[in-house]
Amino acid sequence: MKCLRSKAVVVVRLNDPLCKPCFLAYFTHKFRATIGKARVIRAGEKVLLAFSGGPSSSAMLHLVCEGLSPGAPKKLRFEPGIAFIDEGEILKPTREERQKYIERIRDIASKTEFPFHLFNLEDIFTLEKSALDDAICCEKFEKQESGNNSAEKLSNLFDVTLSMTAKEDLLRTLRCQLLLATARKDGYSKVMLADCATRISIRLLSDISQGRGADLPFDTGFSDNRHGDVTLIRPMREFATKEIALYNFFNSVETVPITTLGTMSHSHASIDRLTEEFVTGLQADFPFTVSTIFRTGDKLSAMDSSDDTTNCAFCGVPMNLGPNHFSTLSDSKLDSKLDIAASSCAGDCDSGCSSSSSGRWLTKQLVLETFCYGCQLTFRDVKFNPNDLPTYVPIYYSLKQFASEMFYFLQMPVYALIAFGCYSLATIGYRVATFNDCVEASESLKQEIKDAREDLTRKGFKFD
């Protein structure tokens, strides 16, 4: 024990028992030290807290509230907001259960007096990015979107996704993209996630199994800046699930149990569930399992960006090469031509959007070409219609196509100059090679020289 005054009630590490006050002080200091040593949050910056009602996010919210309380010794200096994403459309709870846990979430958020943002997962299909308005056919796209049911599109997308592994990966990506869109809309520059060390360790092994090895520095590190304007941070990454459970117990932190896709499922239902079973089983017998995996992942670093680096249209992970260069996926169904709303005008629109100038229809194959290898594996066996994808995917493709066309357009003067130089050199070379002798001109020149010599001789000029 550190204080040597109170009775030890918890053993965080082997041979390191702590009493309740010492444990709470240790937990709070560790949370603040994780944020402080990274130095990514500036004073007065708006930070969005991703709150799910689970133990980890509830502990994170409680720690932030304590850090902003008047009696805190070193107050946190950022401005927090709370975001909750309701996934009831795919989890299919009863109407009463859904209303009940939403009301509990609202009650918890109202006690903090922080700005609260409640979204449904299907809202990802109705996002409007003002900076990308020119990338889609404005008039027709808005009419079609208003007629489509976002909840139905979300259900269709998950219905055609067969494996539980793909569904969990899809859900995680959609949830992240919705948080990013919320942060951009309301002016938050940081999004605080509640991923703990145990969850990160499971995610690390699971990502490797799903072909997402390049994502590891972004998915397991403290800071994830792959999205540019909004940074994801993980201040709970130093805590194990046991420590979080003890902190919630000692502080009577209220949690909201909500079912997930993997609730009550078999350990072999998905790669995530199997990895979780493997890691937690090892942790029970070997207490340093999570720590070893977690610290190994800490040694990973993101690849250096280069001129040919592009981002995955679905998850946003940087890619040095296009997916076709390192993907061996061969699905005959990729050749099925499926039009989408973003290209429905096919050049008939007068709004001046980029899709009207391209006139190219988007297909499933073209969509997958903009995905990273991990996302390609997720959608490998999915018979999806590009209409069922979130809006930002076709927008990204349209912008990428427009940027490619603009790049070649800007290179046209250089190509024209090179072509003119090559033509000039070829013409000169050809004229030199085919230069003909003029016999008549030669004889005339010789006669003029002879006449000149004779004339000079008559005038007394002597030639040697």
Side-chain angles (χ1 to χ4, degrees), residues 439-453:
V439 179
E440 295 179 356
S442 176
E443 293 298 333
S444 175
L445 180 60
K446 290 179 180 180
Q447 183 62 39
E448 290 178 0
I449 294 174
K450 182 179 179 180
D451 294 342
R453 288 174 66 91

Side-chain angles (χ1 to χ4, degrees), residues 67-107:
L68 293 172
S69 62
K74 294 182 179 180
K75 293 184 62 175
L76 300 175
R77 296 184 294 174
F78 57 83
E79 300 179 9
I82 303 175
F84 173 75
I85 299 176
D86 179 22
E87 303 167 1
E89 188 61 34
I90 59 174
L91 300 178
K92 305 299 182 183
T94 63
R95 185 182 183 89
E96 293 75 15
E97 291 175 344
R98 192 171 183 177
Q99 292 178 346
K100 183 178 179 180
Y101 69 68
I102 289 178
E103 287 301 322
R104 291 185 61 184
I105 293 292
R106 289 184 180 274
D107 291 340

